[in-house]
PDB file of all heavy atoms in Angstrom:
ATOM      1  N   ASP A 433    -121.710 -68.280 -23.902  1.00  0.00           N
ATOM      2  CA  ASP A 433    -121.165 -67.322 -24.810  1.00  0.00           C
ATOM      3  C   ASP A 433    -119.587 -67.454 -24.808  1.00  0.00           C
ATOM      4  O   ASP A 433    -119.049 -68.324 -24.063  1.00  0.00           O
ATOM      5  CB  ASP A 433    -121.636 -65.902 -24.521  1.00  0.00           C
ATOM      6  CG  ASP A 433    -121.328 -65.491 -23.146  1.00  0.00           C
ATOM      7  OD1 ASP A 433    -120.458 -66.110 -22.455  1.00  0.00           O
ATOM      8  OD2 ASP A 433    -121.909 -64.475 -22.690  1.00  0.00           O
ATOM      9  N   ALA A 434    -118.945 -66.534 -25.533  1.00  0.00           N
ATOM     10  CA  ALA A 434    -117.483 -66.560 -25.559  1.00  0.00           C
ATOM     11  C   ALA A 434    -116.815 -66.299 -24.274  1.00  0.00           C
ATOM     12  O   ALA A 434    -115.603 -66.658 -24.054  1.00  0.00           O
ATOM     13  CB  ALA A 434    -117.025 -65.591 -26.619  1.00  0.00           C
ATOM     14  N   ASN A 435    -117.535 -65.692 -23.328  1.00  0.00           N
ATOM     15  CA  ASN A 435    -116.946 -65.480 -21.982  1.00  0.00           C
ATOM     16  C   ASN A 435    -116.945 -66.799 -21.151  1.00  0.00           C
ATOM     17  O   ASN A 435    -116.254 -66.820 -20.110  1.00  0.00           O
ATOM     18  CB  ASN A 435    -117.781 -64.408 -21.225  1.00  0.00           C
ATOM     19  CG  ASN A 435    -117.655 -63.086 -21.907  1.00  0.00           C
ATOM     20  OD1 ASN A 435    -116.594 -62.740 -22.399  1.00  0.00           O
ATOM     21  ND2 ASN A 435    -118.717 -62.316 -21.938  1.00  0.00           N
ATOM     22  N   LEU A 436    -117.717 -67.759 -21.571  1.00  0.00           N
ATOM     23  CA  LEU A 436    -117.826 -68.952 -20.789  1.00  0.00           C
ATOM     24  C   LEU A 436    -117.162 -70.170 -21.472  1.00  0.00           C
ATOM     25  O   LEU A 436    -116.580 -71.022 -20.820  1.00  0.00           O
ATOM     26  CB  LEU A 436    -119.379 -69.298 -20.603  1.00  0.00           C
ATOM     27  CG  LEU A 436    -119.687 -70.131 -19.392  1.00  0.00           C
ATOM     28  CD1 LEU A 436    -119.229 -69.468 -18.069  1.00  0.00           C
ATOM     29  CD2 LEU A 436    -121.274 -70.316 -19.306  1.00  0.00           C
ATOM     30  N   ILE A 437    -117.249 -70.213 -22.807  1.00  0.00           N
ATOM     31  CA  ILE A 437    -116.625 -71.332 -23.559  1.00  0.00           C
ATOM     32  C   ILE A 437    -116.083 -70.818 -24.851  1.00  0.00           C
ATOM     33  O   ILE A 437    -116.363 -69.692 -25.295  1.00  0.00           O
ATOM     34  CB  ILE A 437    -117.717 -72.492 -23.881  1.00  0.00           C
ATOM     35  CG1 ILE A 437    -118.775 -71.937 -24.847  1.00  0.00           C
ATOM     36  CG2 ILE A 437    -118.285 -73.066 -22.611  1.00  0.00           C
ATOM     37  CD1 ILE A 437    -119.704 -73.013 -25.382  1.00  0.00           C
ATOM     38  N   ASP A 438    -115.283 -71.611 -25.532  1.00  0.00           N
ATOM     39  CA  ASP A 438    -114.796 -71.383 -26.846  1.00  0.00           C
ATOM     40  C   ASP A 438    -115.550 -72.235 -27.843  1.00  0.00           C
ATOM     41  O   ASP A 438    -115.325 -73.429 -27.873  1.00  0.00           O
ATOM     42  CB  ASP A 438    -113.277 -71.650 -26.941  1.00  0.00           C
ATOM     43  CG  ASP A 438    -112.715 -71.240 -28.271  1.00  0.00           C
ATOM     44  OD1 ASP A 438    -113.463 -70.974 -29.219  1.00  0.00           O
ATOM     45  OD2 ASP A 438    -111.457 -71.310 -28.436  1.00  0.00           O
ATOM     46  N   PRO A 439    -116.518 -71.705 -28.567  1.00  0.00           N
ATOM     47  CA  PRO A 439    -117.324 -72.555 -29.440  1.00  0.00           C
ATOM     48  C   PRO A 439    -116.517 -73.330 -30.444  1.00  0.00           C
ATOM     49  O   PRO A 439    -116.981 -74.411 -30.863  1.00  0.00           O
ATOM     50  CB  PRO A 439    -118.261 -71.521 -30.125  1.00  0.00           C
ATOM     51  CG  PRO A 439    -118.242 -70.338 -29.242  1.00  0.00           C
ATOM     52  CD  PRO A 439    -116.901 -70.286 -28.661  1.00  0.00           C
ATOM     53  N   ALA A 440    -115.399 -72.814 -30.889  1.00  0.00           N
ATOM     54  CA  ALA A 440    -114.577 -73.525 -31.888  1.00  0.00           C
ATOM     55  C   ALA A 440    -113.877 -74.695 -31.312  1.00  0.00           C
ATOM     56  O   ALA A 440    -113.607 -75.696 -31.959  1.00  0.00           O
ATOM     57  CB  ALA A 440    -113.583 -72.564 -32.531  1.00  0.00           C
ATOM     58  N   TYR A 441    -113.522 -74.577 -30.005  1.00  0.00           N
ATOM     59  CA  TYR A 441    -112.765 -75.706 -29.317  1.00  0.00           C
ATOM     60  C   TYR A 441    -113.486 -75.975 -27.959  1.00  0.00           C
ATOM     61  O   TYR A 441    -112.856 -75.705 -26.917  1.00  0.00           O
ATOM     62  CB  TYR A 441    -111.298 -75.355 -29.121  1.00  0.00           C
ATOM     63  CG  TYR A 441    -110.639 -75.055 -30.455  1.00  0.00           C
ATOM     64  CD1 TYR A 441    -110.438 -73.769 -30.884  1.00  0.00           C
ATOM     65  CD2 TYR A 441    -110.096 -76.089 -31.204  1.00  0.00           C
ATOM     66  CE1 TYR A 441    -109.795 -73.477 -32.069  1.00  0.00           C
ATOM     67  CE2 TYR A 441    -109.446 -75.843 -32.423  1.00  0.00           C
ATOM     68  CZ  TYR A 441    -109.325 -74.533 -32.835  1.00  0.00           C
ATOM     69  OH  TYR A 441    -108.663 -74.296 -34.027  1.00  0.00           O
ATOM     70  N   PRO A 442    -114.677 -76.404 -28.003  1.00  0.00           N
ATOM     71  CA  PRO A 442    -115.450 -76.539 -26.693  1.00  0.00           C
ATOM     72  C   PRO A 442    -114.885 -77.646 -25.848  1.00  0.00           C
ATOM     73  O   PRO A 442    -114.554 -78.777 -26.303  1.00  0.00           O
ATOM     74  CB  PRO A 442    -116.904 -76.793 -27.192  1.00  0.00           C
ATOM     75  CG  PRO A 442    -116.691 -77.480 -28.519  1.00  0.00           C
ATOM     76  CD  PRO A 442    -115.485 -76.857 -29.125  1.00  0.00           C
ATOM     77  N   ASP A 443    -114.823 -77.386 -24.555  1.00  0.00           N
ATOM     78  CA  ASP A 443    -114.484 -78.392 -23.555  1.00  0.00           C
ATOM     79  C   ASP A 443    -115.800 -78.937 -22.993  1.00  0.00           C
ATOM     80  O   ASP A 443    -116.329 -78.263 -22.114  1.00  0.00           O
ATOM     81  CB  ASP A 443    -113.619 -77.762 -22.457  1.00  0.00           C
ATOM     82  CG  ASP A 443    -113.137 -78.792 -21.449  1.00  0.00           C
ATOM     83  OD1 ASP A 443    -113.774 -79.861 -21.334  1.00  0.00           O
ATOM     84  OD2 ASP A 443    -112.126 -78.490 -20.759  1.00  0.00           O
ATOM     85  N   TYR A 444    -116.273 -80.033 -23.498  1.00  0.00           N
ATOM     86  CA  TYR A 444    -117.566 -80.511 -23.093  1.00  0.00           C
ATOM     87  C   TYR A 444    -117.593 -81.043 -21.688  1.00  0.00           C
ATOM     88  O   TYR A 444    -118.679 -80.985 -21.031  1.00  0.00           O
ATOM     89  CB  TYR A 444    -118.045 -81.599 -24.080  1.00  0.00           C
ATOM     90  CG  TYR A 444    -118.507 -80.995 -25.415  1.00  0.00           C
ATOM     91  CD1 TYR A 444    -117.721 -81.184 -26.561  1.00  0.00           C
ATOM     92  CD2 TYR A 444    -119.612 -80.275 -25.538  1.00  0.00           C
ATOM     93  CE1 TYR A 444    -118.092 -80.591 -27.759  1.00  0.00           C
ATOM     94  CE2 TYR A 444    -120.006 -79.730 -26.701  1.00  0.00           C
ATOM     95  CZ  TYR A 444    -119.289 -79.870 -27.829  1.00  0.00           C
ATOM     96  OH  TYR A 444    -119.633 -79.276 -29.025  1.00  0.00           O
TER      97      TYR A 444
END
Side-chain angles (χ1 to χ4, degrees):
D433 57 17
N435 295 322
L436 204 58
I437 64 169
D438 184 350
Y441 302 97
D443 184 338
Y444 286 107

